[in-house]
Amino acid sequence: GMGGAAADELAGAAGAEPGDDPGYADALDAAAADAASDESAENIAKLTSYSWNIFRYIGDWLHLFGIVALIATIVKNKSCQGISRSTQILYFCVFTTRYLDLVDHSQTAYLVFFKLTYLITSVIILAAFWKLHKTYERQKDTCSLAVIFIPCVLASILLASEYAVLEMLWSFSQFLEGFAMVPQYIFCYRDRGTRDIGIILYVMSLGGYRVFYACNWIYKKVQMPQYSDIQSWTGGLIEIAFFCDYLLSMFSGASLLRALVLKVDEKINEFQDHVEMKVRGTSRHSLYAPVEQHRAGDLRQRRAAREDGACDV
């Protein structure tokens, strides 16, 4: 209706009747396109205004607080004990693939601050692992990154909104973030005796950040029913499910996913060891055995201990 009225106005201004002017159809199409463009711009403006809500702010600052708590813990302990390097690698990949838009277009100072902070701190944390490599508990950080990366790459290809490089990398980062904390949860499940307050604050803050972001998505959906962000929602729901299970395990000792996650993790690592043994004649665990034997780091030792009732897993 709006497009037709605008086209009639344009045609009238040119001194022609709609039915007689052969250029009327073109004018109608142009006016309809303009109206659609205006409506799209209005929707984007509304979505932007609704995006700046209390849930989003709390989520952002919780995320930042968790990162600060983690770095403070590493500095205080002069150690990377209790921390999953695999989780930090995943977050580094999440930030570098998601925040390429920093060089693509201008953004608010708020967004630039948080994006640069996440990128810089992820590099700092990985540098700390390199500097303090002797304190890294490799035998507890068993999650296979390939098992996380490959499905996320496939999902980003199949479910991308458009096949542009930045769009696909952004989709990849959303799916990858859904699993970024899984290595840390596995680490915590294997390290149940450790109760470092800094690491607990980090895990709780990162989980809380995603919960508040989910509230942010719900708020925007209520305000704008046409709002949709499948990639973010999928990654967020996966991460929240793992976080809720971690909370259940931490406070009640019960867990729906803990035993399954550990079992799948062990099977994957045993398969990788078998393949490496066939290809190279040795495996990762045999290479690290001199360092890790006194820590009972070998997967087979963990499984035997579990079967004997000597450990939780």
Side-chain angles (χ1 to χ4, degrees), residues 161-202:
S161 300
E162 58 180 273
Y163 290 100
V165 174
L166 287 181
E167 175 65 27
M168 293 178 69
L169 287 174
W170 180 85
S171 296
F172 169 74
S173 76
Q174 293 294 339
F175 293 125
L176 190 64
E177 189 174 12
F179 296 95
M181 285 298 289
V182 170
Q184 182 65 55
Y185 293 143
I186 291 176
F187 196 112
C188 291
Y189 291 152
R190 297 199 186 284
D191 196 32
R192 292 174 68 80
T194 299
R195 282 289 183 266
D196 190 302
I197 186 64
I199 295 172
I200 292 175
L201 281 175
Y202 169 70

Side-chain angles (χ1 to χ4, degrees), residues 241-269:
F242 281 113
F243 176 58
C244 290
D245 188 73
Y246 168 78
L247 292 179
L248 188 65
S249 174
M250 181 179 178
F251 291 112
S252 72
S255 171
L256 301 175
L257 296 174
R258 176 171 167 263
L260 174 62
V261 167
L262 290 176
K263 188 68 175 176
V264 170
D265 180 57
E266 289 190 0
K267 290 298 182 183
I268 290 170
N269 279 278

